[in-house]
Amino acid sequence: MATYLQLLFEDIQEEQAGILIAELSLLGFEGFEESKTSINAFIPESDFEKEELDALALKMKLSFTTTTIQETNWNALWESNFAPVIVEDFAGIRAHFHAPITNVQHEILITPKMSFGTGHHATTHLMIQQMKFLNFANKQVFDFGTGTGVLAILAEKLGATNVVAVDNDDWSIENTTENVTKNNCQHIAIHKANDANSNQHFNIILANINRNVLLENMAALNQQLLPNGELLMSGLLVSDEAALQAAAQKVGLHFQNTWQRNGWICMLFTK
């Protein structure tokens, strides 16, 4: 049984939260719980590098406490703190132990585990919010870095006839498969992959990952996007915008818009 570490950062300022989560993600942290003034971060004990974490805490002038927990307890903790997510009147995300969400156009049922993308994080919220304005009817869709599968599931609910969802994490693949089944989806193919090279072409690409992965895969994403296709990206901080715009435009993509939420951004490009 894997052992995890739970690190609690308290007295977090709003402008620090997004930066801290981004930095912790690069250090191997796999799950986060946010409140207005604190962040719980989770990482397998075997992946924890104390010196790197101490350096980050010193740089950001933050302190933290550490608790050791077992994987089963981690999942129980995650479920106990998982609240339904509602994105305007457009989409609602809930677990099986929540009451149905009746005042939204699309309801998504998931098993809350440690996979990134439950809708609580600003980037997933932004992606869902902007998917409302894209036309998915009869479209081919690529969900790069699917996490829990929420975006892939929503794409099918919005009319996509073929959705390819990939991730490089075994836990995410397992959780996505479970969530796709729970939502009775019939048009989602799930694959484990380390990059965006799928050898297929798509009308819409959804990529909610992080700056480095997006920069490394920009050429592949562009190559797989059909003419007049749309690339919606997030997992990015406000400070990442210029670099992503430059990389996308270099491969021939056309910038359309940027949206912000709590220091994070979502960007739309077309081909």
Side-chain angles (χ1 to χ4, degrees):
M1 182 183 298
T3 300
Y4 280 78
L5 297 180
Q6 173 187 334
L7 276 63
L8 172 62
F9 297 83
E10 297 185 282
D11 300 321
I12 302 293
Q13 302 299 313
E14 183 176 349
E15 61 272 15
Q16 291 179 302
I19 297 173
L20 177 60
I21 290 177
E23 294 281 2
L24 292 173
S25 297
L26 293 175
L27 294 181
F29 283 79
E30 297 179 345
F32 304 94
E33 294 174 346
E34 297 180 67
S35 72
K36 289 185 178 180
T37 60
S38 68
I39 291 176
N40 275 309
F42 301 87
I43 186 172
E45 189 172 29
S46 59
D47 294 340
F48 181 63
E49 298 288 345
K50 189 174 187 302
E51 290 183 1
E52 292 181 343
L53 197 282
D54 286 340
L56 174 62
L58 180 63
K59 181 178 72 172
M60 297 190 67
K61 299 180 180 179
L62 297 172
S63 59
F64 61 89
T65 57
T66 304
T67 304
T68 301
I69 55 178
Q70 297 298 320
E71 185 173 5
T72 52
N73 291 337
W74 199 102
N75 285 328
L77 175 66
W78 183 261
E79 289 194 14
S80 68
N81 287 285
F82 179 81
V85 177
I86 298 177
V87 181
E88 301 167 354
D89 63 349
F90 177 54
I93 304 167
R94 70 173 179 90
H96 64 87
F97 47 81
H98 295 136
I101 303 171
T102 58
N103 58 343
V104 294
Q105 298 174 41
H106 304 283
E107 183 187 50
I108 299 173
L109 185 64
I110 72 169
T111 298
K113 292 185 178 178
M114 58 188 284
S115 304
F116 184 80
T118 57
H120 289 84
H121 195 269
T123 60
T124 312
H125 191 284
L126 281 167
M127 292 287 288
I128 292 172
Q129 193 175 49
Q130 297 311 315
M131 285 174 68
K132 177 179 181 179
F133 303 104
L134 302 183
N135 179 13
F136 284 85
N138 302 312
K139 297 295 177 64
Q140 310 290 310
V141 178
F142 184 34
D143 182 13
F144 179 48
T146 192
T148 58
V150 164
L151 301 184
I153 293 166
L154 181 57
E156 178 169 326
K157 288 179 178 290
L158 291 170
T161 52
N162 179 47
V163 182
V164 176
V166 305
D167 206 290
N168 67 351
D169 177 67
D170 288 328
W171 191 292
S172 292
I173 294 297
E174 177 185 335
N175 195 206
T176 295
T177 302
E178 187 175 3
N179 292 334
V180 164
T181 300
K182 282 183 179 295
N183 288 273
N184 300 313
C185 293
Q186 304 296 319
H187 306 295
I188 300 176
I190 305 162
H191 306 293
K192 184 177 179 181
N194 292 318
D195 55 41
N197 293 297
S198 71
N199 298 317
Q200 298 185 52
H201 292 90
F202 305 94
N203 306 104
I204 298 174
I205 297 178
L206 309 170
N208 184 23
I209 311 181
N210 63 54
R211 169 195 168 117
N212 292 341
V213 173
L214 289 171
L215 290 175
E216 291 168 3
N217 287 273
M218 191 66 69
L221 292 171
N222 175 62
Q223 185 176 9
Q224 293 170 115
L225 194 61
L226 289 165
N228 301 312
E230 297 166 304
L231 169 60
L232 189 66
M233 301 186 297
S234 194
L236 304 165
L237 294 166
V238 172
S239 58
D240 296 328
E241 181 173 5
L244 267 296
Q245 277 207 41
Q249 291 173 348
K250 184 176 180 180
V251 299
L253 294 170
H254 306 288
F255 172 70
Q256 298 300 318
N257 211 340
T258 297
W259 301 270
Q260 292 189 31
R261 182 180 176 87
N262 299 335
W264 296 86
I265 60 172
C266 177
M267 305 176 72
L268 177 65
F269 293 85
T270 57
K271 187 168 183 178

